[in-house]
């Protein structure tokens, strides 16, 4: 087979064009995709680093490795007579310095092994009592990591100083400042050991674990839920055809791999929809498990004669005409959704609430049988859910407001462009959060009157935070399920009657229009009869 010169030239030209397009595609991929969501990506990276058990100890080791040559260098030029005037400074000879540094290095390494063993024992106990998903809270505990880092950092520092003593003994003398600093660090490590033991004693208490999970859930709620209603968002909803985009040409969206959805980068998705002229609808939420064969959403291609296309024709960043998804679209979409093979923390409210739910469910198991811990979890979940009910939930609709690059600010203010619908996401309702938290506890506590009554009280407490009729109906529905669970599973009729009586009083209280300005206190018929008898006798 022969190839002439023209064909050879053509092959080289195609090869050159393909090589030239590689960096161009790379720049286009990362400049538009990564930089738009750079704060979120950096925050996720920081959470992964903090979530690892090695980051802070490794940083402490590096600090020790840097401090040793720094103090040894300072020792060369420091006035040794001035050091002798310091009361607590080391002024011994080289043998004493070697003995001290050897003792410090051996002691802190042994204590580091002890603290690591204590940590492993606590993790084993926490896994069996609170659940394996709570292990992350212990591993990411900053005080524990810092204590271990201080021990191995002091060990690394002592080794380098010990290695340099013989040289300084001949030429410059004993490194007094470096040895003094090692003694100070040894004293600090002794104090940190006492603090570590005290901290671990409190860390394994159920109330402390529940409070930590509750604080994390509240932080995630504040991240997603705003404290005010967005008027501009309401205006955008009224002025766009949010119900008609389902009639456009739809292309199913599949994930690039199997795993748990950890993050959806909205800015990258909005940029992607701008260039392809359509709307991306995501039907999964963070924390959901998907496979590479699951349909997680759709790309709706905007019609050619759509009015929004007329607005964006002058913008160089957007396509003049909508186009169907191609290979570049799927490559860039894969970078818009972060998938992990295991569930990890990523500002996921459901994950934080499920931690307290898991503690309650394990406390209700026959092996542990601790209903009081389950009641504490119900109370903490109630606090988190009440905050969600009072705040503005995140919007499902995300828009792009186009601006002309050649326009001045005055022109933009006079003739603002209408927002263009870009991304539609799935937002769980308060019913979903109640079902995965208090609803799960109700299903496992069907035979425990104490927990069922605490769930009934939780519905009353949540009623104080209701802001609309839908939330009230959700509480009444859950209250009916609590009453039905008690009727079908409690052993004694007296217990069933007690629960039904409380549920009825709670239902009447929730239906009361002025309930948010009243105090609810449940009193059983027997308790009311005893109280009335005591009042009669006192007269």
């Amino acid at each position: 087979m022969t190839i002439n010169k023209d064909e050879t030239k053509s092959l080289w030209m195609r090869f050159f064009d393909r090589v030239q397009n590689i960096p161009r595609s790379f720049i286009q991929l990362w400049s538009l995709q990564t930089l738009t969501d750079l704060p979120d990506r950096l925050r996720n990276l920081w959470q992964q680093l903090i979530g690892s058990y090695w980051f802070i100890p490794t940083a402490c080791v590096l600090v020790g490795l840097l401090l040793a040559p720094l103090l040894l260098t300072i020792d060369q030029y420091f006035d040794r007579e001035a050091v002798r005037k310091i009361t607590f400074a080391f002024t011994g000879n080289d043998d004493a310095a070697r003995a001290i540094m050897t003792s410090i290095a051996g002691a802190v390494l042994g204590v580091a092994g002890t603290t690591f063993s204590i940590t492993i024992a606590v993790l084993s106990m926490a896994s069996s009592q609170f659940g394996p998903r709570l292990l992350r809270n212990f591993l990411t505990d900053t005080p524990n990591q810092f204590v271990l880092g201080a021990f191995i950092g002091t060990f690394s520092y002592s080794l380098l100083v010990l290695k340099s003593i013989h040289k300084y003994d001949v030429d410059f003398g004993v490194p007094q400042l470096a040895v003094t600093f090692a003694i100070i660090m040894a004293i600090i490590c002794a104090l940190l050991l006492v603090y570590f033991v005290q901290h671990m004693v409190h860390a394994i208490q159920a109330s402390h674990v529940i409070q930590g999970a509750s604080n994390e859930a509240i932080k995630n709620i504040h991240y997603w839920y705003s404290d005010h209603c967005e008027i501009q968002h309401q205006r955008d909803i009224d002025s766009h055809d949010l119900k008609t985009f389902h009639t456009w040409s739809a292309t199913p969206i599949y994930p690039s791999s199997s795993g748990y959805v950890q993050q959806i980068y909205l800015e990258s998705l909005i940029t992607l929809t701008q260039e392809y002229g359509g709307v991306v609808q995501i039907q999964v939420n963070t924390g959901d498990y998907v496979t590479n064969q699951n349909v997680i959403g759709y790309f709706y291609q905007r019609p050619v004669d759509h009015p929004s296309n007329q607005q964006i024709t002058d913008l160089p960043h957007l396509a003049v005409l909508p186009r169907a998804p191609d290979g570049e679209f799927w490559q860039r979409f894969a970078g818009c959704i972060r998938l992990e093979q295991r569930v990890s923390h990523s500002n996921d409210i459901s994950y934080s609430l499920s931690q307290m739910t898991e503690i309650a469910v394990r406390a209700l198991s026959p092996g542990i049988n601790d209903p009081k811990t389950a009641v504490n979890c119900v109370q903490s979940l109630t606090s988190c859910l009440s905050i969600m009910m009072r705040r503005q939930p995140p919007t499902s609709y995300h828009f792009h407001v186009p601006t002309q690059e050649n326009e001045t600010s005055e022109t933009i203010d006079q003739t603002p462009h209408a927002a263009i619908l870009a991304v539609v996401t799935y937002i769980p309702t308060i019913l979903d959060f109640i079902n995965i938290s208090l609803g799960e506890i109700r299903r496992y506590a069907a035979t425990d009157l104490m927990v069922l009554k605490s769930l009934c009280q939780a519905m009353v407490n949540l009623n104080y935070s209701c802001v609309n009729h839908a939330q009230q109906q959700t509480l009444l529905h859950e209250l009916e399920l609590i009453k039905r669970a008690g009727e079908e599973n409690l052993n004694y009729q007296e217990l069933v009657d007690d629960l039904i009586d409380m549920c009825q009083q709670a239902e009447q209280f929730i239906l009361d229009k002025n309930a948010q300005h009243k105090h609810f206190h449940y009193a059983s018929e027997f308790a009311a009869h005893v109280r009335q008898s005591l009042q009669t006798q006192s007269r």
Side-chain angles (χ1 to χ4, degrees):
M1 180 178 180
T2 60
I3 300 178
N4 56 29
K5 294 183 178 180
D6 294 336
E7 293 179 350
T8 305
K9 184 177 180 180
S10 178
L11 290 174
W12 277 107
M13 290 298 296
R14 282 185 290 177
F15 176 77
F16 179 76
D17 293 338
R18 181 170 297 181
V19 173
Q20 189 178 8
N21 288 331
I22 292 177
R24 184 182 305 170
S25 302
F26 182 84
I27 294 174
Q28 184 181 16
L29 174 64
W30 291 105
S31 62
L32 295 178
Q33 173 182 313
T34 306
L35 295 181
T36 51
D37 290 297
L38 186 60
D40 292 336
R41 297 177 188 273
L42 292 178
R43 183 175 59 252
N44 292 333
L45 178 60
W46 177 251
Q47 289 179 352
Q48 290 179 1
L49 291 177
I50 293 298
S52 60
Y53 196 68
W54 57 266
F55 179 70
I56 294 181
T58 303
C60 293
V61 171
L62 294 177
V63 171
L65 296 178
L66 294 176
L67 280 178
L70 177 63
L71 291 179
L72 290 173
T73 304
I74 295 176
D75 262 310
Q76 298 180 14
Y77 303 99
F78 202 79
D79 187 6
R80 300 190 175 277
E81 295 299 329
V83 176
R84 296 180 182 273
K85 296 179 181 180
I86 303 176
T87 306
F88 59 88
F90 173 79
T91 57
N93 56 13
D94 58 331
D95 292 334
R98 292 191 190 93
I100 290 176
M101 298 307 298
T102 303
S103 301
I104 293 176
V108 295
L109 184 61
V111 173
T114 302
T115 57
F116 187 77
S117 301
I118 295 175
T119 303
I120 294 300
V122 170
L123 291 177
S124 177
M125 186 189 67
S127 177
S128 60
Q129 183 173 357
F130 302 118
R133 288 200 290 184
L134 271 298
L135 292 181
R136 178 189 172 276
N137 296 353
F138 290 91
L139 289 175
T140 58
D141 192 6
T142 303
N144 292 348
Q145 298 180 8
F146 180 76
V147 169
L148 180 60
F151 289 152
I152 60 179
T154 303
F155 170 75
S156 304
Y157 171 83
S158 301
L159 283 184
L160 292 183
V161 175
L162 180 61
K163 177 180 176 297
S164 305
I165 287 179
H166 69 281
K167 180 178 66 175
Y168 281 90
D169 182 39
V170 178
D171 299 332
F172 305 99
V174 178
Q176 298 174 345
L177 287 179
V179 176
T180 302
F181 183 79
I183 296 174
I184 296 175
M185 286 301 302
I187 297 174
I188 294 176
C189 289
L191 298 176
L192 288 177
L193 177 61
V194 178
Y195 167 76
F196 173 79
V197 175
Q198 185 265 348
H199 178 74
M200 295 304 293
V201 169
H202 288 281
I204 60 178
Q205 296 179 2
S207 59
H208 186 274
V209 177
I210 296 172
Q211 185 62 38
S214 177
N215 293 338
E216 183 179 355
I218 293 175
K219 182 179 67 175
N220 294 336
I221 292 173
H222 289 168
Y223 175 81
W224 289 107
Y225 284 64
S226 59
D227 55 354
H228 64 279
C229 181
E230 299 178 1
I231 303 300
Q232 181 64 35
H233 161 64
Q234 300 295 337
R235 187 182 300 116
D236 289 337
I237 288 182
D238 294 338
S239 60
H240 288 83
D241 48 354
L242 302 180
K243 297 181 180 180
T244 60
F245 75 90
H246 292 94
T247 61
W248 302 345
S249 177
T251 302
I253 296 177
Y254 301 91
S256 58
S257 61
S258 302
Y260 294 92
V261 179
Q262 295 302 311
Q263 185 75 28
I264 300 176
Y265 299 107
L266 293 176
E267 294 297 330
S268 297
L269 279 177
I270 292 175
T271 303
L272 186 60
T273 57
Q274 293 173 27
E275 298 187 6
Y276 282 82
V279 175
V280 170
Q281 183 181 23
I282 302 297
Q283 297 179 332
V284 295
N285 194 29
T286 55
D288 294 342
Y289 182 81
V290 297
T291 66
N292 55 0
Q293 301 298 324
N294 287 35
V295 177
I296 63 174
Y298 294 92
F299 174 77
Y300 294 93
Q301 184 177 340
R302 189 175 288 109
V304 178
D305 57 347
H306 195 274
S308 297
N309 295 329
Q310 304 300 324
Q311 292 187 4
I312 63 178
T313 52
D314 296 333
L315 295 179
H317 300 298
L318 301 179
V320 177
L321 295 177
R323 51 189 173 132
D326 51 13
E328 181 184 351
F329 177 90
W330 301 118
Q331 184 182 13
R332 294 177 58 182
F333 181 83
C336 296
I337 296 183
R338 184 167 66 92
L339 299 173
E340 299 288 346
Q341 296 302 317
R342 59 184 180 87
V343 179
S344 61
H345 170 71
S346 182
N347 298 320
D348 186 5
I349 299 177
S350 301
Y351 180 82
S352 303
L353 297 179
S354 63
Q355 288 184 330
M356 289 178 281
T357 304
E358 185 172 359
I359 296 175
V361 170
R362 284 183 171 267
L364 293 172
S365 62
I368 299 178
N369 194 18
D370 185 12
K372 187 63 179 177
T373 297
V375 172
N376 293 338
C377 293
V378 171
Q379 295 168 349
S380 297
L381 288 170
T382 304
S383 301
C384 298
L385 293 172
S386 63
I387 296 176
M388 297 175 62
M389 296 175 68
R390 295 193 303 267
R391 298 175 71 90
Q392 176 71 16
T395 175
S396 300
Y397 305 99
H398 307 275
F399 302 89
H400 166 69
V401 180
T403 57
Q404 300 288 350
E405 291 188 350
N406 55 359
E407 288 181 341
T408 61
S409 59
E410 297 179 356
T411 307
I412 294 176
D413 294 336
Q414 293 176 0
T415 58
H417 292 280
I420 301 174
L421 181 63
V423 179
V424 180
T425 56
Y426 171 76
I427 302 298
T429 62
I430 189 65
L431 175 62
D432 298 326
F433 288 116
I434 291 178
N435 187 49
I436 64 174
S437 57
L438 299 179
E440 288 292 333
I441 298 177
R442 166 178 48 81
R443 286 183 277 273
Y444 283 91
T447 59
D448 196 302
L449 179 63
M450 179 190 297
V451 182
L452 290 177
K453 293 178 71 173
S454 68
L455 290 171
C456 183
Q457 182 67 39
M459 298 301 108
V460 175
N461 295 337
L462 290 176
N463 182 66
Y464 288 102
S465 302
C466 279
V467 295
N468 52 50
H469 181 70
Q471 293 179 352
Q472 186 184 66
Q473 293 301 315
T474 299
L475 299 181
L476 293 175
H477 174 72
E478 186 66 24
L479 196 63
E480 180 65 25
L481 294 178
I482 294 172
K483 181 172 65 174
R484 189 182 307 173
E487 291 176 344
E488 297 177 356
N489 295 279
L490 291 177
N491 297 327
Y492 302 102
Q493 187 62 36
E494 291 81 359
L495 303 181
V496 176
D497 295 338
D498 188 16
L499 179 63
I500 293 177
D501 189 19
M502 183 175 182
C503 290
Q504 291 176 350
Q505 295 185 25
E507 182 179 359
Q508 296 176 359
F509 182 81
I510 293 175
L511 293 174
D512 189 356
K513 296 182 179 180
N514 297 323
Q516 294 182 344
H517 303 284
K518 297 181 180 180
H519 173 70
F520 176 81
H521 177 71
Y522 167 68
S524 61
E525 295 182 0
F526 178 75
H529 176 72
V530 172
R531 185 178 294 105
Q532 184 177 4
S533 300
L534 293 176
Q535 292 177 355
T536 304
Q537 294 178 3
S538 62
R539 295 176 183 175

